[in-house]
Short mmCIF file of all heavy atoms in Angstrom, two decimals:
data_model
loop_
_atom_site.label_atom_id
_atom_site.label_comp_id
_atom_site.label_asym_id
_atom_site.label_seq_id
_atom_site.Cartn_x
_atom_site.Cartn_y
_atom_site.Cartn_z
N VAL A 14 5.56 20.04 21.17
CA VAL A 14 4.51 19.10 20.67
C VAL A 14 5.24 18.30 19.52
O VAL A 14 4.99 16.96 19.43
CB VAL A 14 3.39 19.96 20.13
CG1 VAL A 14 2.25 19.00 19.52
CG2 VAL A 14 2.81 20.77 21.25
N SER A 99 -3.37 20.99 12.41
CA SER A 99 -2.79 22.04 13.04
C SER A 99 -3.15 22.11 14.67
O SER A 99 -4.23 21.75 14.92
CB SER A 99 -3.10 23.34 12.37
OG SER A 99 -2.54 24.39 13.13
N ALA A 100 -2.19 22.53 15.30
CA ALA A 100 -2.45 22.80 16.80
C ALA A 100 -2.40 24.23 17.12
O ALA A 100 -2.36 24.74 18.29
CB ALA A 100 -1.28 22.13 17.65
N ASN A 101 -2.62 24.96 16.13
CA ASN A 101 -2.46 26.57 16.22
C ASN A 101 -3.71 27.27 16.40
O ASN A 101 -4.37 27.69 15.49
CB ASN A 101 -1.69 26.93 14.81
CG ASN A 101 -1.21 28.30 14.87
OD1 ASN A 101 -1.70 29.17 15.66
ND2 ASN A 101 -0.17 28.52 14.02
N LYS A 102 -4.03 27.58 17.64
CA LYS A 102 -5.24 28.31 18.02
C LYS A 102 -5.19 29.73 17.51
O LYS A 102 -6.23 30.25 17.07
CB LYS A 102 -5.65 28.31 19.47
CG LYS A 102 -4.44 28.48 20.47
CD LYS A 102 -3.82 27.20 20.68
CE LYS A 102 -2.31 27.36 21.29
NZ LYS A 102 -2.43 26.87 22.58
N TYR A 124 -8.16 19.84 10.11
CA TYR A 124 -8.46 19.37 11.49
C TYR A 124 -7.55 20.13 12.46
O TYR A 124 -6.42 20.35 12.23
CB TYR A 124 -8.10 17.86 11.57
CG TYR A 124 -9.34 17.04 11.12
CD1 TYR A 124 -9.65 16.80 9.82
CD2 TYR A 124 -9.97 16.20 12.08
CE1 TYR A 124 -10.60 15.95 9.27
CE2 TYR A 124 -10.90 15.36 11.63
CZ TYR A 124 -11.34 15.25 10.33
OH TYR A 124 -12.32 14.33 9.78
N PHE A 125 -8.01 20.44 13.68
CA PHE A 125 -7.20 21.20 14.66
C PHE A 125 -7.59 20.78 16.07
O PHE A 125 -7.68 21.76 16.91
CB PHE A 125 -7.24 22.64 14.37
CG PHE A 125 -8.66 23.16 13.98
CD1 PHE A 125 -9.50 23.72 14.95
CD2 PHE A 125 -9.10 23.05 12.63
CE1 PHE A 125 -10.72 24.19 14.58
CE2 PHE A 125 -10.42 23.59 12.24
CZ PHE A 125 -11.26 24.14 13.27
N GLU A 126 -7.93 19.59 16.41
CA GLU A 126 -8.34 19.16 17.75
C GLU A 126 -7.26 19.62 18.90
O GLU A 126 -7.78 20.04 19.83
CB GLU A 126 -8.52 17.71 17.85
CG GLU A 126 -8.97 17.03 19.20
CD GLU A 126 -10.28 17.82 19.54
OE1 GLU A 126 -11.27 17.28 19.04
OE2 GLU A 126 -10.34 18.58 20.48
N ALA A 127 -6.08 19.68 18.51
CA ALA A 127 -5.03 19.98 19.53
C ALA A 127 -5.01 21.44 19.84
O ALA A 127 -4.45 21.95 20.86
CB ALA A 127 -3.60 19.61 19.03
N ALA A 128 -5.76 22.23 19.09
CA ALA A 128 -5.60 23.75 19.15
C ALA A 128 -6.46 24.16 20.47
O ALA A 128 -6.19 25.15 20.94
CB ALA A 128 -6.19 24.50 17.93
N VAL A 129 -7.49 23.35 20.84
CA VAL A 129 -8.27 23.68 22.05
C VAL A 129 -8.23 22.60 22.95
O VAL A 129 -8.62 21.44 22.72
CB VAL A 129 -9.75 24.05 21.60
CG1 VAL A 129 -10.52 24.45 22.80
CG2 VAL A 129 -9.66 25.13 20.52
N ALA A 130 -7.83 22.82 24.22
CA ALA A 130 -7.87 21.91 25.43
C ALA A 130 -7.01 20.69 25.00
O ALA A 130 -7.53 19.63 25.36
CB ALA A 130 -9.35 21.70 25.71
N GLY A 131 -5.88 20.90 24.53
CA GLY A 131 -4.86 19.81 24.33
C GLY A 131 -5.38 18.50 24.00
O GLY A 131 -6.10 18.27 22.93
N ALA A 132 -5.25 17.51 24.89
CA ALA A 132 -5.57 16.14 24.66
C ALA A 132 -7.14 15.80 24.58
O ALA A 132 -7.60 14.88 24.09
CB ALA A 132 -4.93 15.24 25.63
N LEU A 136 -13.23 19.48 20.13
CA LEU A 136 -13.83 19.97 18.83
C LEU A 136 -14.55 18.90 17.95
O LEU A 136 -15.53 19.27 17.44
CB LEU A 136 -12.61 20.49 18.02
CG LEU A 136 -11.82 21.63 18.80
CD1 LEU A 136 -10.82 22.23 17.84
CD2 LEU A 136 -12.70 22.65 19.31
N LYS A 202 -8.93 30.34 21.81
CA LYS A 202 -9.67 29.02 22.04
C LYS A 202 -11.23 29.25 22.18
O LYS A 202 -12.05 28.50 21.57
CB LYS A 202 -9.17 28.26 23.21
CG LYS A 202 -7.83 27.74 22.98
CD LYS A 202 -7.12 27.39 24.37
CE LYS A 202 -5.77 26.71 24.10
NZ LYS A 202 -4.97 26.58 25.38
N GLY A 297 -4.71 19.71 29.30
CA GLY A 297 -4.91 20.67 28.27
C GLY A 297 -3.63 21.29 27.72
O GLY A 297 -3.70 22.05 26.71
N THR A 303 -0.77 16.75 23.92
CA THR A 303 -1.10 17.52 22.68
C THR A 303 -0.87 16.69 21.44
O THR A 303 -1.69 16.75 20.45
CB THR A 303 -0.38 18.83 22.64
OG1 THR A 303 -0.60 19.61 23.95
CG2 THR A 303 -0.85 19.75 21.52
N ALA A 304 0.27 15.89 21.49
CA ALA A 304 0.54 15.10 20.39
C ALA A 304 -0.43 14.03 20.22
O ALA A 304 -0.77 13.56 19.10
CB ALA A 304 2.05 14.42 20.50
N ALA A 306 -3.71 14.42 20.52
CA ALA A 306 -4.78 14.98 19.62
C ALA A 306 -4.24 15.20 18.20
O ALA A 306 -5.03 14.98 17.35
CB ALA A 306 -5.19 16.29 20.32
N VAL A 307 -3.01 15.51 17.98
CA VAL A 307 -2.50 15.68 16.76
C VAL A 307 -2.62 14.33 15.96
O VAL A 307 -2.96 14.25 14.78
CB VAL A 307 -1.10 16.20 16.68
CG1 VAL A 307 -0.43 16.23 15.25
CG2 VAL A 307 -0.94 17.74 17.32
N ASP A 310 -5.99 13.31 14.79
CA ASP A 310 -6.32 14.03 13.56
C ASP A 310 -5.67 13.48 12.36
O ASP A 310 -6.23 13.40 11.34
CB ASP A 310 -6.00 15.56 13.67
CG ASP A 310 -7.11 16.40 14.53
OD1 ASP A 310 -8.05 15.80 14.91
OD2 ASP A 310 -6.88 17.58 14.83
#
Side-chain angles (χ1 to χ4, degrees):
V14 181
S99 173
N101 190 333
K102 46 278 167 105
Y124 276 70
F125 43 95
E126 181 59 75
V129 183
L136 301 189
K202 290 164 175 169
T303 306
V307 170
D310 282 355

